[in-house]
Amino acid sequence: MSQPAAGRRRTAATRGLHPLLVIAVLVPILTVLVAQGLRQPQTVAETGAPQDAPLTRADRGCPAAPAKGGILVANARPEATGEIELRRLDQEDVEPESVPLSSGATADLAESGPVLVTGHDDLAPGLLATRVAAGRLAGVVCPAPAPDAWFTGLGARAEHASVLELQNPDVGAAVVDVSFFTRQGAVDVPELLGVRVPGRSTYVVDLAQQVPRRGDVAVHLAVTRGRLSATVRDRFERIGSDTRSVDWLAPQAGPATETLLLGLPAGRGYRTLTLANPGEDQARVDLKLVTEDSTFAPADLKQVQVRPGSLVNVHLDKILAREVRKGALGVQVTATRPVTSTFTSLVHDDLTVAQAPPAVDDTASVLLPPGDRTMLVAGATTTGLVTVTFRDADGGELPEQKVEVTPGRAFTVPVPAKATLATMTVARTSVSAAVLVEGDGALVLPFGSPAEVGLVPSVRPADR
C-alpha cells in the first residue's frame, strides 16, 4: 500500500468529537453545577413572644366632655414625680403643654375637649387619667391604646344615641375595622371598614346618624394599623321632654364566660343587662346577684339564650328594684360560650353604666371624683386579704383599710372624704373591684392595673 493512503487513515483516526455529542454531555453537567452555585442555605426563622422592656412612654386618650368637664391625672406609684404631657387634639398645630405632677398627688385639669395625656420616663409606668363631666355625675377611665376593643349595649336611635370616639396618639395614620352585632345578628357596614384616623387626631362616629337602628347594638373595633384608644359617650333622652342623661363606656377586653358587673345604684328606674354573643354557637347564660352575704339566683331570674352573632337585652327593673333595696351590689354572668356584657341603669333620670372590672391578683388603682364614694370588692377565688391605701389631692396618706375576702360574697369599703386616689393590694387571691360614686346621680369606675413595663416585639426576616 502507498504511504499517502496510510496518512489519510491516521488523520481519520484522530479526528475530534462530534459537536452534537459534546453539547449533549456538557449541558446537563453545567445545569447541575449552576443549580448548586445558586442554591442558598435555608434558614428556619423562629417566632417568639414579645420581650419585656422598660416602659418609657404611656398614653391615655380622654374623650371630649359634652359641656364643661375636667380630667384627673395621677400616678399609681407614690414615688413617681415629674411632668406629664397634655396634647389638645381639637387644636391643630398647638404644642403640647407640660403639667407638673408631684409625688402621690392628683392633678385636676379644667379641660373639656379631647385630650391625650402622656407620661414619659418615670411617669410612664402607673399612669392614670379619668375624664369627669361637670354637673350630674358622669365619667370614664381614659384608656390606653389597644389593638381591639368591645362595647355592648350602644344605641343608634333618637332616644338612645351613642357616639364612638377614637384617638390616635401617634404621628402616622391608624386604620380600624368596626363591626356590629344586633338582635337580628351581625351587620356589615362597609363604610366603617378600613376607617383611617389621621395622626394625633380624634375620629368620631355618631351611630344614630351613620348606622341608625331601632334596637341596641354591640361594637367590635379591630385596629389593623397603628394605635388607637376608644371610648363611647352614651346618651338617653326622653322624646318630648327636656330629660337627658349622659355617661361614658370604657372598652371591654373581650368576650368571656365569667363576668362580674359591680355597681347598682339604688332608686326607681330602668335597669337593663345587655349580652352579645359574637361566636358561632348559641350561648346559655345564667345570672346571679352578688350581696355581702352570698351569691344567689332569685327564683324569677331565668336563664338567657343568646343566638350566635346576636344581642339580647334583659330587663331587670322589677327584680333589682327589690333586690338592690335588700343589698344587691352586682350581677354575676356565667355563660356556656364567651359573651360581652354591660349593665345600664337609668335611675332618677340619671344614666349609670356598670362594666366588668378586671380580675386583680397584685395591685390596682382608681382616681376618685368628688361625691359619696363606696368601694365594692367581689369575685374572690379563695380566702385572701385586700389592703386599700388612700391619698388626698396633695399626695398625703390617709388611713388604710384591710378587708378579709372570701369567695361568693361582696365587700364594701368606705372611702375617706378627702381621698382622690385609691390603690388596693391583693394577697393570696384575686378579686374585682369598683367604686360607686353617688350624689347628683351616680357613677361607677373600675379599679385597673396600668402597665408597668413595655413590650418589644419579636421581629424576624421576611420569608423569600
Side-chain angles (χ1 to χ4, degrees):
M1 298 178 67
S2 62
Q3 290 300 325
R8 287 195 297 268
R9 283 198 298 270
R10 285 196 298 270
T11 302
T14 58
R15 186 180 300 167
L17 295 174
H18 196 282
L20 292 179
L21 180 60
V22 174
I23 294 174
V25 173
L26 292 180
V27 167
I29 296 174
L30 291 173
T31 302
V32 172
L33 292 175
V34 171
Q36 290 290 340
L38 294 178
R39 182 174 298 171
Q40 298 291 331
Q42 298 296 317
T43 59
V44 178
E46 297 182 358
T47 60
Q51 302 296 313
D52 290 347
L55 184 65
T56 58
R57 171 179 169 172
D59 297 302
R60 301 292 182 264
C62 297
K68 292 183 179 180
I71 297 174
L72 303 177
V73 181
N75 196 286
R77 303 182 307 156
E79 72 279 6
T81 184
E83 291 186 343
I84 59 170
E85 183 180 284
L86 202 69
R87 182 180 293 274
R88 298 172 180 85
L89 297 181
D90 58 349
Q91 300 178 16
E92 297 183 3
D93 301 326
V94 175
E95 292 298 317
E97 177 184 350
S98 294
V99 177
L101 191 64
S102 57
S103 177
T106 299
D108 189 351
L109 310 176
E111 297 287 342
S112 297
V115 171
L116 175 66
V117 179
T118 301
H120 295 282
D121 301 326
D122 290 344
L123 286 179
L127 180 65
L128 299 169
T130 297
R131 158 64 75 192
V132 180
R136 305 203 76 175
L137 282 169
V140 65
V141 174
C142 301
D148 69 341
W150 295 80
F151 296 93
T152 308
L154 308 188
R157 57 192 187 275
E159 63 272 20
H160 180 199
S162 300
V163 176
L164 177 65
E165 186 170 320
L166 308 175
Q167 288 194 7
N168 180 355
D170 301 321
V171 176
V175 179
V176 61
D177 291 332
V178 186
S179 54
F180 293 84
F181 302 91
T182 70
R183 286 181 292 183
Q184 291 73 34
V187 175
D188 291 330
V189 183
E191 58 268 31
L192 291 179
L193 297 177
V195 174
R196 184 179 181 275
V197 182
R200 290 178 177 171
S201 70
T202 298
Y203 187 91
V204 174
V205 180
D206 190 331
L207 300 186
Q209 294 183 2
Q210 296 187 242
V211 285
R213 293 287 187 277
R214 295 185 62 182
D216 289 347
V217 300
V219 171
H220 177 217
L221 305 177
V223 181
T224 59
R225 176 184 174 185
R227 300 190 306 153
L228 291 173
S229 58
T231 54
V232 166
R233 187 173 74 248
D234 215 22
R235 187 196 77 228
F236 275 88
E237 183 175 359
R238 290 187 180 181
I239 303 301
S241 73
D242 295 332
T243 302
R244 173 186 293 189
S245 184
V246 175
D247 208 341
W248 281 278
L249 282 77
Q252 300 166 262
T257 56
E258 295 281 345
T259 303
L260 181 60
L261 303 166
L262 293 175
L264 308 179
R268 299 180 59 183
Y270 303 97
R271 297 175 171 90
T272 303
L273 172 67
T274 306
L275 303 167
N277 175 14
E280 298 179 354
D281 299 313
Q282 180 159 304
R284 299 187 303 275
V285 183
D286 293 313
L287 306 177
K288 294 182 179 181
L289 301 183
V290 182
T291 73
E292 291 188 272
D293 298 321
S294 65
T295 298
F296 69 99
D300 48 354
L301 196 56
K302 306 299 182 183
Q303 187 179 74
V304 182
Q305 306 286 333
V306 189
R307 294 184 295 106
S310 67
L311 173 145
V312 170
N313 284 332
V314 184
H315 299 288
L316 301 174
D317 307 337
K318 294 181 180 179
I319 295 174
L320 287 183
R322 175 188 74 229
E323 297 298 339
V324 170
R325 288 196 302 268
K326 296 180 179 181
L329 300 174
V331 178
Q332 180 177 298
V333 178
T334 304
T336 58
R337 293 289 183 269
V339 297
T340 63
S341 52
T342 295
F343 185 84
T344 302
S345 301
L346 191 61
V347 175
H348 302 307
D349 292 327
D350 177 72
L351 175 64
T352 306
V353 180
Q355 296 179 91
V360 177
D361 59 7
D362 45 15
T363 62
S365 302
V366 68
L367 289 164
L368 304 168
D372 183 10
R373 289 82 56 89
T374 303
M375 179 178 170
L376 312 173
V377 183
T381 53
T382 60
T383 300
L385 177 67
V386 174
T387 303
V388 189
T389 58
F390 300 97
R391 292 184 178 273
D392 61 22
D394 297 325
E397 294 186 15
L398 301 172
E400 69 176 20
Q401 300 277 351
K402 292 182 180 290
V403 182
E404 289 279 354
V405 296
T406 56
R409 295 175 56 195
F411 300 83
T412 60
V413 180
V415 178
K418 294 184 178 181
T420 59
L421 174 63
T423 299
M424 70 172 182
T425 303
V426 184
R428 306 191 305 274
T429 187
S430 66
V431 299
S432 297
V435 168
L436 175 63
V437 186
E438 296 178 293
D440 186 4
L443 167 64
V444 179
L445 293 173
F447 275 76
S449 301
E452 295 287 339
V453 297
L455 294 177
V456 177
S458 175
V459 180
R460 63 181 177 86
D463 295 331
R464 292 190 178 186

